[in-house]
Each structure stands twice: as C-alpha cells, then as structure tokens.
Amino acid sequence: EVAEAVRLQAYPNPVVKELRITIPAAWQNKRVSYAVYTMNGVNVKRTVNNTASQTEVLDFQGLEAGVYIIKASTVNELAVQRIVKN
C-alpha cells in the first residue's frame, strides 16, 4: 500500500547556499533520508538523520545552478520537492 504523497516545505526556492526542509510533524524524531537529484536522475547529495528535527538544512553551495529534485523519505513514506538552484 502506497501512502499518499507527503508535502515537504523547502525554502528558499530558488536556493543559493542553504536549503531548509520542513518535514511533516509525524516524521519528527524518526529516521528520515534526504537525497538530492539532478533532473537527469544523478544523486548529488544524500544524508540520513536518525532522529529528524522539524527543519533540516542541506548545503547547496557546491552544486551547479539548475533544477534539482529533493526526495525525503521515512520507512514507508516519500515526499518529493522540486528546487531551483541559482
């Protein structure tokens, strides 16, 4: 059974240096994986937080300008957000 899509709040969008991701309350203090992909599907960043807080900060400074897909997931839920990097 696939859970309904969970909404992420990722800001600022477009991002320059740091992206803040606010996760659903139900995900807090759980193990949450974050992955950043290019539009070609290349994974450029990955991080796992075993006790996720409400807001996670991802460093985008080393990444090229363009459009990226952020995927945040728990054991049985996935949220996807599109981000522009300037």
Side-chain angles (χ1 to χ4, degrees):
E1 183 180 322
V2 176
E4 65 180 83
V6 177
R7 295 288 304 159
L8 279 186
Q9 286 188 307
Y11 56 93
N13 187 7
V15 61
V16 178
K17 291 181 181 173
E18 286 185 340
L19 182 73
R20 295 180 184 281
I21 301 173
T22 301
I23 59 170
W27 290 20
Q28 290 170 31
N29 299 315
K30 294 184 180 171
R31 186 174 197 267
V32 179
S33 302
Y34 301 90
V36 180
Y37 294 90
T38 65
M39 292 306 284
N40 299 333
V42 177
N43 182 210
V44 292
K45 188 176 285 287
R46 185 174 169 76
T47 181
V48 175
N49 191 332
N50 285 317
T51 52
S53 54
Q54 183 180 4
T55 303
E56 187 79 25
V57 178
L58 296 183
D59 181 9
F60 265 68
Q61 262 182 285
L63 300 180
E64 290 180 29
V67 179
Y68 293 87
I69 302 293
I70 314 291
K71 291 185 180 178
S73 57
T74 61
V75 172
N76 52 10
E77 290 184 292
L78 170 69
V80 178
Q81 176 81 39
R82 210 171 137 158
I83 293 293
V84 176
K85 162 82 164 73
N86 280 352

